[in-house]
């Protein structure tokens, strides 16, 4: 088997090649995926499948042959836009920041330097009593992963009785720090908690669900902004407002194939770590991480529930939306298991 560093280097070179040809067109499609309530979902799924197919190609020539059809569909979808309200996380000019990100000319990232984080509501009918609120943060650098790990999972949790919110934060390590990704997550929690009466949920039933890189964002939120920790502790120039008086702590954490990496450390002294639910496939490259993380969490008195699924690789939450069928029926059960976990731990 090839050394892991060699495999990552091959993957990096492949990604650089794809970006050099497909980057501009792909970047133009990102707002469509992330503003999914504004467009027909069936067309977005079609566009996402085309994007995934192009990213899997091995030569610039093959990519160029498909870009025209992708652009045509993207423009068709863009013309169908309807208005849906974004919930902006931060007041204009008040976004706490550490990263000096000024240029995306090489299309390395899915978001340009002027990106401002926001979220969308996905709410249940007024005649249904909510069990709680779930804030969902998709993995990777977002883009079309928001359709499966955001929209589809939110729809599933709606069906189980949860008010849902799809978070479009500054993505961890793409290029922002975990602290910037985490403070966006904490701000989203504060907004939902401050509006608990409006959303008909209890203030102590605010759940955060992070997928892959979104799981790392969730733990960064816990590490730096839970309990009595303040935004100003990390961002010295930050000007506090009324929302900063509302707790940014999540009441439960659904970490879906996104456990902390073995080389990353965590300071438990100030953090308030909530009950945490992990789900990942046995073929997931994160299995070694979760095997080492579990005893550490338990040793700090944290409630942990872990489910692993045979034959399942990374990144399968909500995947039936793009696949068109259920590829891993065993993994599909993670949602009902998570529902039971929430009900057992949030009384």
């Amino acid at each position: 088997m090839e050394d892991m560093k060699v495999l990552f280097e091959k993957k990096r070179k492949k990604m650089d090649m794809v970006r050099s040809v497909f980057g501009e067109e792909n970047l133009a499609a990102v707002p469509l995926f992330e503003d999914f309530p504004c467009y027909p979902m069936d067309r977005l799924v079609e566009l996402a499948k085309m994007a995934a197919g192009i990213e899997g190609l091995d030569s610039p020539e093959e990519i160029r042959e498909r870009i025209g059809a992708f652009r045509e569909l993207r423009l068709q979808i863009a013309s169908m836009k309807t208005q849906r309200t974004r919930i902006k996380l931060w007041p204009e000019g008040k976004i706490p920041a550490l990263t000096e990100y000024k240029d995306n000319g090489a299309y390395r990232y899915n978001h340009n330097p002027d990106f401002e984080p926001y979220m969308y509501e996905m709410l249940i009918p007024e005649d249904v009593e909510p069990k709680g609120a779930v804030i969902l943060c998709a993995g990777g650098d977002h883009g079309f992963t928001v359709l499966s790990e955001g929209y589809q999972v939110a729809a599933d949790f709606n069906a189980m009785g949860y008010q849902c919110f799809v978070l479009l934060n500054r993505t961890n390590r793409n290029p922002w720090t975990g602290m910037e990704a985490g403070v966006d997550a904490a701000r989203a929690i504060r907004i939902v908690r401050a509006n608990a009466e409006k959303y008909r949920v209890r203030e102590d039933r605010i759940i955060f669900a992070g997928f892959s890189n979104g799981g790392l964002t969730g733990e960064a939120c816990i590490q730096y902004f839970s309990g009595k920790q303040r935004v100003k502790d990390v961002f010295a120039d930050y000007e506090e407002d009324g929302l900063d008086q509302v707790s940014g702590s999540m009441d439960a954490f659904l970490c879906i194939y996104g456990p902390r990496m073995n080389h990353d450390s965590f300071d438990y002294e100030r953090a308030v770590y909530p009950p945490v639910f992990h789900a990942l496939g046995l073929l997931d490259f994160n299995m070694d991480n979760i095997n080492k993380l579990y005893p550490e969490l338990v040793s700090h008195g944290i409630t942990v529930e872990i489910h692993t699924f045979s034959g399942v690789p990374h990144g399968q939450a909500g995947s039936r939306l793009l696949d068109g069928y259920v590829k891993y029926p065993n993994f599909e059960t993670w949602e009902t298991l998570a529902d039971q976990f929430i009900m057992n731990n949030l009384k």
Side-chain angles (χ1 to χ4, degrees), residues 11 19 31 59 67 96 98 112 115 131 138 144 152 161 193 195 213 237 251 312 315 331 345:
K11 184 176 181 180
R19 288 191 194 101
S59 73
I67 285 181
L98 296 172
N112 284 326
F115 174 76
K131 294 179 178 178
F144 67 72
Q152 183 59 62
R193 181 168 282 123
N195 290 279
N213 193 22
D237 296 332
D251 298 303
V312 180
F331 188 71
N345 288 281

Side-chain angles (χ1 to χ4, degrees), residues 143-157:
F144 67 72
T145 63
V146 173
L147 301 187
S148 52
E149 295 171 343
Y151 164 78
Q152 183 59 62
V153 176
D156 295 343
F157 272 81

Side-chain angles (χ1 to χ4, degrees), residues 278-296:
H278 284 275
L280 69 168
L282 287 176
L283 298 183
D284 198 305
F285 53 78
N286 275 316
M287 277 304 302
D288 185 54
N289 294 328
I290 194 66
N291 288 336
K292 294 181 180 178
L293 177 61
Y294 174 71
E296 179 181 323

Side-chain angles (χ1 to χ4, degrees), residues 36-82:
F36 62 90
C38 303
Y39 304 99
M41 182 54 61
D42 59 337
R43 304 308 300 277
L44 290 178
V45 168
E46 185 181 354
L47 191 67
K49 288 180 178 180
M50 291 179 69
I54 290 172
E55 289 180 357
L57 297 174
D58 294 320
S59 73
E61 292 75 22
E62 291 177 300
I63 293 172
R64 291 189 184 98
E65 287 177 1
R66 297 202 193 177
I67 285 181
F70 183 91
R71 181 183 299 112
E72 182 179 355
L73 178 57
R74 176 181 63 80
L75 292 172
Q76 288 177 4
I77 296 171
S79 70
M80 301 175 183
K81 185 174 184 178
T82 57

Side-chain angles (χ1 to χ4, degrees), residues 151-166:
Y151 164 78
Q152 183 59 62
V153 176
D156 295 343
F157 272 81
N158 282 163
M160 292 190 292
Y162 294 91
Q163 305 283 33
C164 290
F165 304 84
V166 177

Side-chain angles (χ1 to χ4, degrees), residues 313-326:
H314 188 73
Q316 298 304 312
S319 62
R320 70 182 186 278
L321 178 68
L322 301 185
D323 293 336
Y325 69 101
V326 176

